[in-house]
């Protein structure tokens, strides 16, 4: 056999390495296909054999799911899915009932699971004002608890007496904290109802706008109502009132946005949140299929301060639904100009629907747009704003409105009647005041 020199060896080595790599690729594909088949088989086996596994491993006869996720429609923010309660129930067998939180909505509905079983999915809403009560009755049989009946109800906690022993143990701390939280920080003239934010410029959201513009020095301010179930009717305002008034944290950001992006953000927000209204007594707000709750999250209803505009409810998106009149200082609004915009932290961290789907701002792009971040969180800044002004007039800026104006009185009355039956069975402002006094 002739000896091979280095130049002859190299091609053969490369050829042999390529053969080995091709063999590895083929094996990886085989393993991948096998793995997928195993996952599919395992998923079916998990569902089909759930009862036998439960008996073998002594899994309880009753399974209640408790998840920190919403029960409303799934939303996708920053490539993460929120509010997946219904998805969990539909795809995981074995639950008798599921309780969710996170989206702040109070609702109860039946969802069909993967095994055909009807499972009650309940969410008690925010601030601990309601609780989910679950009663399950069944018969002890060979296969565990059989013929189960599940009754789920959402109960108000406002009329229930607190545990006396537990309350007594906490009273020294709660009394001290209550005094601190109830200390007046400013006087307020007029009233602000969060629900008014659904129908145009409102004293509730505009108080946040005024604060954001003052402390950011931005050209414009973007804000949204975090709830419609609060308000303030004048008098002294305390730290506790601020907590109820603005039930969120996070710092104040300023970001760079083009005029065209601000327009598209607003246009998406109003078309996403409001119905197209055809007549003066038409329906404006979107409700879930049962008509029990608003179907859209109020955090997706953006408004802009520093900008004058009208929303024409009877016009379609491409027919001038959003009419921008100019900046509040009288200067024309330029679609090509870059503006500094004050926004709450949650809009930056999650890049909400109006920004991502409306303005087409991507999460990785948002980080490059940040111009400044406040040292304090927004509730602290709001506290500072109130302290500095000492007497604050609760008054809307009046920079934007829903049109036609002649229709809005009837439309708002109709919608408020619907909302009253769902959200305000009693005056929620009065309930909140009573609740705080009792604490």
């Amino acid at each position: 056999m002739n000896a091979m020199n280095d130049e002859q060896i190299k091609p053969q080595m490369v050829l042999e390495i390529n053969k080995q790599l091709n063999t590895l690729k083929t094996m990886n594909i085989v393993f991948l296909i096998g793995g997928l088949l195993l996952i599919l088989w395992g998923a079916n086996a998990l569902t089909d054999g759930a009862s036998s596994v439960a008996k073998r491993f002594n899994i309880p006869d009753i399974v209640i799911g408790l998840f920190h996720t919403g029960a409303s429609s799934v939303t996708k923010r920053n490539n993460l899915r929120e509010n997946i309660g219904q998805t969990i129930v539909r795809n995981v067998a074995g639950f008798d009932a599921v309780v969710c939180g996170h989206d702040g909505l109070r609702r109860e509905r039946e969802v069909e699971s993967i095994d055909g079983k009807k499972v009650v999915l309940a969410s008690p809403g925010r601030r601990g004002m309601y609780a989910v009560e679950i009663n399950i009755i069944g018969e002890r049989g060979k296969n565990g608890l059989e013929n189960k009946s599940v009754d789920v109800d959402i109960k108000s906690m406002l009329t229930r007496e607190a545990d006396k022993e537990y309350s007594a143990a906490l009273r020294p701390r709660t009394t001290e904290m209550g005094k601190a939280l109830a200390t007046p920080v400013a006087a307020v003239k007029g009233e602000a109802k969060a629900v008014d934010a659904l129908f145009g410029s409102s004293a509730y959201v505009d108080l946040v706008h005024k604060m954001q513009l003052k402390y950011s020095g931005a050209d414009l301010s973007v804000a949204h109502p975090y709830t419609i179930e609060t308000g303030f009717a004048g008098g002294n305002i305390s730290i506790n009132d601020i907590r109820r008034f603005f039930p969120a944290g996070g710092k104040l950001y300023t970001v760079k946005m083009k005029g065209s992006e601000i327009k598209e953000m607003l246009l998406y927000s109003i078309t996403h949140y409001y119905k197209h209204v055809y007549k003066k007594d038409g329906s404006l707000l979107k409700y879930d299929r049962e008509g029990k709750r608003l179907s859209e999250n109020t955090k997706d209803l953006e408004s802009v301060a520093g900008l004058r505009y009208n929303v024409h409810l009877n016009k379609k998106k491409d027919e001038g639904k959003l009419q921008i009149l100019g900046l509040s200082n009288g200067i024309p609004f330029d679609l090509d100009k870059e503006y500094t915009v004050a926004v709450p932290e949650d809009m930056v961290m999650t890049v909400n629907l109006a920004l991502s789907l409306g303005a087409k701002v991507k999460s990785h792009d948002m980080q490059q747009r940040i111009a400044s971040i406040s040292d304090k969180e927004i509730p602290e800044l709001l506290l500072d704003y109130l302290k500095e002004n000492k007497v604050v007039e609760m008054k809307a800026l009046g920079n934007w409105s829903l049109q036609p104006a002649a229709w809005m009185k009837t439309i708002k009355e109709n919608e408020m009647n619907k909302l009253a039956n769902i959200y305000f069975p009693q005056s929620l402002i009065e309930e909140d005041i009573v609740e705080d006094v009792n604490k």
Side-chain angles (χ1 to χ4, degrees):
M1 181 179 294
N2 294 328
M4 299 176 68
N5 58 35
D6 290 344
E7 295 302 318
Q8 291 174 309
I9 292 172
K10 285 179 182 177
Q12 290 199 11
M13 288 178 67
V14 171
L15 181 63
E16 185 64 28
I17 289 170
N18 285 337
K19 285 181 180 179
Q20 295 292 337
L21 289 173
N22 288 333
T23 302
L24 287 171
K25 288 179 182 177
T26 303
M27 292 174 66
N28 285 338
I29 292 171
V30 171
F31 288 142
L32 179 62
I33 294 172
L36 290 172
L37 291 173
L38 184 62
I39 290 171
L40 292 172
W41 174 84
N44 289 328
L46 179 63
T47 303
D48 297 336
S51 58
S52 60
V53 172
K55 285 187 287 183
R56 180 174 180 179
F57 291 98
N58 198 29
I59 293 175
D61 297 316
I62 297 172
V63 179
I64 307 295
L66 181 62
F67 299 102
H68 187 139
T69 187
S72 55
S73 302
V74 173
T75 58
K76 191 174 182 181
R77 300 175 187 269
N78 204 16
N79 295 321
L80 298 175
R81 293 186 180 275
E82 286 189 326
N83 306 326
I84 59 170
Q86 295 183 55
T87 304
I88 293 172
V89 175
R90 290 193 182 103
N91 292 281
V92 180
F95 291 113
D96 293 295
V98 171
V99 180
C100 287
H102 180 69
D103 57 8
L105 299 179
R106 190 169 69 250
R107 61 173 62 204
E108 174 191 336
R109 64 172 53 175
E110 276 194 342
V111 179
E112 186 172 339
S113 188
I114 193 171
D115 57 359
K117 179 181 176 181
K118 298 284 187 180
V119 178
V120 177
L121 173 65
S123 179
R126 56 173 63 85
R127 295 186 296 169
M129 294 177 65
Y130 293 83
V132 177
E133 182 178 273
I134 302 173
N135 291 295
I136 299 178
I137 300 174
E139 300 173 355
R140 179 65 63 186
K142 294 181 179 179
N143 296 317
L145 198 63
E146 299 174 345
N147 301 320
K148 286 184 285 186
S149 66
V150 181
D151 179 61
V152 178
D153 196 11
I154 297 177
K155 301 282 190 179
S156 172
M157 300 299 291
L158 298 176
T159 57
R160 297 205 172 190
E161 186 179 356
D163 184 282
K164 293 180 179 179
E165 185 178 347
Y166 184 73
S167 297
L170 289 179
R171 189 164 291 119
R173 286 188 178 184
T174 56
T175 300
E176 184 179 354
M177 185 179 293
K179 288 179 180 178
L181 293 176
T183 302
V185 295
V188 173
K189 290 183 178 180
E191 67 175 10
K193 295 180 180 179
V195 69
D196 288 339
L198 302 181
F199 305 102
S201 176
S202 68
Y204 168 69
V205 172
D206 289 353
L207 176 64
V208 177
H209 276 311
K210 293 172 187 176
M211 177 276 295
Q212 291 189 166
L213 287 172
K214 176 180 174 62
Y215 292 125
S216 69
D219 302 312
L220 303 168
S221 168
V222 177
H224 44 246
Y226 286 88
T227 176
I228 63 169
E229 299 177 82
T230 190
F232 192 77
N236 290 327
I237 191 167
S238 65
I239 298 173
N240 207 30
D241 294 318
I242 296 172
R243 176 188 62 85
R244 291 188 296 109
F245 197 84
F246 193 88
K251 295 187 176 182
L252 177 61
Y253 283 63
T254 58
V255 297
K256 298 293 185 180
M257 292 183 68
K258 279 189 174 182
S260 57
E261 293 173 327
I262 296 167
K263 178 185 175 182
E264 291 303 318
M265 176 196 70
L266 266 179
L267 193 54
Y268 175 86
S269 181
I270 58 182
T271 53
H272 176 74
Y273 202 86
Y274 295 128
K275 288 182 180 179
H276 180 72
V277 181
Y278 296 92
K279 52 186 180 178
K280 65 180 180 180
D281 58 347
S283 179
L284 172 64
L285 303 176
K286 299 177 182 179
Y287 297 84
D288 61 17
R289 278 178 285 186
E290 293 86 0
K292 293 182 177 180
R293 307 297 292 173
L294 288 171
S295 61
E296 307 302 329
N297 196 318
T298 56
K299 289 194 293 184
D300 293 323
L301 181 59
E302 308 297 349
S303 64
V304 178
L307 187 69
R308 295 182 299 114
Y309 60 97
N310 290 322
V311 177
H312 294 274
L313 300 170
N314 58 336
K315 293 184 179 181
K316 294 182 180 178
K317 184 177 179 179
D318 55 354
E319 294 177 347
K321 193 174 192 74
L322 175 62
Q323 177 192 20
I324 296 180
L325 304 172
L327 298 177
S328 295
N329 59 11
I331 298 174
F333 181 66
D334 190 343
L335 295 178
D336 296 320
K337 181 179 177 179
E338 187 176 71
Y339 293 93
T340 303
V341 185
V343 297
E345 183 175 323
D346 61 322
M347 288 187 69
V348 177
M349 293 295 102
T350 61
V351 186
N352 71 354
L353 297 178
L355 282 174
S356 59
L357 299 182
K360 309 298 182 187
V361 175
K362 306 301 180 185
S363 57
H364 62 273
D365 181 38
M366 177 57 81
Q367 299 304 314
Q368 306 302 319
R369 294 168 177 257
I370 297 172
S372 67
I373 306 173
S374 64
D375 293 327
K376 297 181 178 180
E377 298 213 347
I378 289 179
E380 294 179 84
L381 293 174
L382 197 56
L383 178 62
D384 289 345
Y385 180 82
L386 292 168
K387 284 181 176 179
E388 286 179 23
N389 286 274
K390 294 183 180 179
V391 178
V392 178
E393 186 175 5
M394 291 291 191
K395 187 177 180 180
L397 292 170
N399 62 302
W400 73 279
S401 65
L402 298 180
Q403 300 290 330
W407 293 9
M408 281 312 300
K409 182 179 179 182
T410 302
I411 290 174
K412 184 176 180 179
E413 285 178 356
N414 292 341
E415 294 294 350
M416 285 299 294
N417 286 334
K418 295 178 191 175
L419 293 169
N421 292 328
I422 298 171
Y423 292 89
F424 314 111
Q426 302 173 31
S427 170
L428 198 66
I429 294 176
E430 291 178 5
E431 285 182 353
D432 278 349
I433 292 172
V434 170
E435 181 188 17
D436 291 335
V437 170
N438 288 340
K439 286 180 179 178

